[in-house]
Amino acid sequence: MLDEVRVAPRTAKVSPFELVNPPAESWQQTYARRVRWTDLVIVLGAVAGAVIVRFAGNGDLGIDQRKHLTIETIALSIVWMATLRATQSEDSRILGSGATEYSRVASACFMTFGLLAIFDLIFKLDIARGFVAIALPFGTLSLLAGRWIWRKQLTRQRANGRNLQQILIVGDTESSIPLIDRIEDNPVLGYQVAGIVRTAGHRSHPSRGGELLPEPPDLDALTHAVRRSGATTVAVTSASALGHSVMRELSWELEAMGVDMVVAPGVTDIAGPRMMLRPVAGLPMVHIDKPRYAGANRLLKGGIDRVGAAVLLCTIAPLLVACAIAVKCSSPGPVFYRAERIGTGNTPFRMWKLRSMVNGADKQRSELLGSSDGNGVLFKMREDPRITRVGHFLRRYSLDELPQLINVLTGEMSLVGPRPPLREEVAQYSGPVNRRMLVRPGITGLWQISGRSELSWDESVRLDLMYVENWSIMQDLVILWRTLHAVIKGRGAY
C-alpha cells in the first residue's frame, strides 16, 4: 500500500532504503516455457492440419512425394519456431503485455511465410498454394489465441497478487509517486513495489510528510537495497540525481545479478514504438517519434475502417432490422436519431443512432441539467426518465450505436478512436485536449473498454490522448476484441 511508504525526516537515523513488501518467487521462466510449448504444439498442429486438409484424398502420392512433403513440413515447423524466437515474441519483457506481444507473433507468422515464398521462387520447391492458404491464417490465429489465453490467466493471477515482478524504485518523491500510483492502481501491469531508494529532493508529498534525505545513495547502498528487497527490476525515476557514473556502474552490477533495469524518460502515455534510443556524443538519448495519425497511416486506417464497416453492416443487418422494429413498436417517433457531433478538425457531422429516448428528448435536457451524473463536462444520468424501455436494453449492450457504421463508411468516423464529442464540449476544450480532434472519433476506443460512463473527465481525456499519440493497427484490433467483452458485461453503460 502506498501509505506504507514513509518519507523519513532529515534527522532520522534510517537507511534511505525502506522495505515495503516481501519478495515473491520467480515465475517468468515457467511462464515462458509454457508459452513456448504451446507455440510448438500449435505450429505442429497448423502444419499437420494443413497437410491433411490440402492432400486428403490424394492416395496416389508416391513414396518420393511423401518424403518430400514430410521434409517440407518439418522444415517449415522449425523455421516458424525459429522466427518466433528471432522476433523476440518470447521475450520475458513483453510476454503478457498485450498488443506488443501479439504484434510480434503476427510479424513472425508473416515473416515465416514470406521466407517460404522467397525460397519457393528461388529454388522452385513447387509448394502447394492451398497448403499455405490453410496453414498461415489458421496458425496465426491459433498462436494469437494461445497467447491471449495465457495472458488472461496471467491477468487473473496478477489481480490476485500472484506472479508479480518485484520492482525497486530509485528516485525522489516527485518523480516516484506517479509511477507508484500507476502500479498500485493497475496490478495487471505485473509489478509490485518491493521498496524505494530515495534520492535528494526539494518537496515532500503532502500525504507522506517529512523531509527527503538530501544525499543520493552510493552504488553499495543501491546494490544492498536490491539484494535485500529481492527485486527483479530496478526503475530509476530521477537519473540525474544518481549521476552518469553511478548509473553506468549500477547497470553493470544489475547485469551480474540478473536484475532488469529501466529508466523513466520523464514522459507519460507514450508507447514503445514511438520511442527510440539514440546515442549522442556517448550519451543515450530517447528519441520520441512523431504521432502516427498522419500521412500513409491515416489512409491505411481509413481503408481498414471502410472495409471493416462494410463487412460488419452486412453481417449484422438482421440484428439491426430487429432493433429498428423494436424501437418503432415501443414508442412513437422516428427509428433513427441524428445527433450532431464534432469530428476531425472541429468539423460537425450528423451521427447515426437508434433512438433510445422518447421523441423530443433534447428539449427536456435543460430541465435535467441539475441531475447530471456525468463527470463535470459530460451530461449523463444513471436513471434518465427520457429513456424508453427498449432504449434501456439497447444502451446496456450498445446496440443503439450500431448505425454509426454508416458514419464510418462515409469517412466521418472510425471503428476505433476518441469518443465523438458534442459542440458544447468542444467549446470547453483547452490546451492538450484539443489534440483529440486530430483524428476521427470512433465507435469504440480506450474509453469504451476502460469504464465508459464511469470514467472521470481527466481519465477519459488521458485515454483519448494516449490513443491519438500511439495509434497502431494491432492496438485497434485489441480494442475491438476487448470492446466485445465490455459490451457483453454492460459495465459503465447508462
Side-chain angles (χ1 to χ4, degrees), residues 251-317:
S251 67
W252 295 341
E253 292 290 334
L254 295 180
E255 178 185 8
M257 298 167 63
V259 176
D260 293 331
M261 179 179 178
V262 296
V263 180
V267 294
T268 59
D269 296 328
I270 301 295
R274 284 188 57 202
M275 303 178 70
M276 179 185 301
L277 192 64
R278 299 176 61 183
V280 178
L283 296 176
M285 305 292 286
V286 176
H287 174 76
I288 300 179
D289 199 4
K290 297 180 179 64
R292 303 184 173 192
Y293 49 74
N297 286 318
R298 184 186 292 271
L299 296 177
L300 176 61
K301 182 174 174 61
I304 294 175
D305 284 336
R306 285 178 168 83
V307 172
V311 172
L312 287 173
L313 275 175
C314 294
T315 304
I316 66 170

Side-chain angles (χ1 to χ4, degrees), residues 340-488:
E340 184 191 63
R341 293 293 188 270
I342 306 300
T344 310
N346 292 340
T347 303
F349 68 95
R350 290 287 177 177
M351 185 178 71
W352 289 82
K353 294 185 69 174
L354 286 170
R355 183 172 56 84
S356 60
M357 294 185 175
V358 296
N359 194 25
D362 287 343
K363 299 178 181 178
Q364 305 175 25
R365 180 179 176 182
S366 59
E367 303 173 3
L368 301 171
L369 288 177
S371 303
S372 174
D373 297 315
N375 50 30
V377 177
L378 302 179
F379 174 76
K380 287 282 187 179
M381 291 184 65
R382 293 183 181 273
E383 301 295 335
D384 196 323
R386 301 172 298 169
I387 301 178
T388 64
R389 186 174 59 180
V390 171
H392 277 291
F393 179 83
L394 296 178
R395 284 182 168 226
R396 176 174 177 79
Y397 297 105
S398 298
L399 297 176
D400 60 320
E401 299 176 4
L402 293 179
Q404 292 173 25
L405 291 170
I406 300 174
N407 293 112
V408 178
L409 275 178
T410 58
E412 297 164 326
M413 292 183 64
S414 176
L415 291 176
V416 182
R419 184 187 57 80
L422 295 166
R423 182 182 292 271
E424 51 265 35
E425 294 174 39
V426 176
Q428 301 180 55
Y429 288 176
S430 62
V433 186
N434 286 301
R435 294 186 68 83
R436 298 174 76 192
M437 314 309 296
L438 293 175
V439 300
R440 296 186 184 96
I443 297 178
T444 185
L446 288 175
W447 51 273
Q448 175 83 308
I449 62 177
S450 304
R452 303 164 85 177
S453 298
E454 293 179 350
L455 293 174
S456 66
W457 170 249
D458 290 340
E459 184 64 13
S460 61
V461 168
R462 186 186 72 82
L463 291 173
D464 280 344
L465 292 179
M466 185 166 65
Y467 175 83
V468 171
E469 298 297 313
N470 303 298
W471 171 82
S472 69
I473 294 177
M474 185 56 66
Q475 184 187 38
D476 277 6
L477 294 177
V478 171
I479 291 174
L480 288 170
W481 173 254
R482 292 180 62 188
T483 297
L484 181 61
H485 182 259
V487 167
I488 293 175

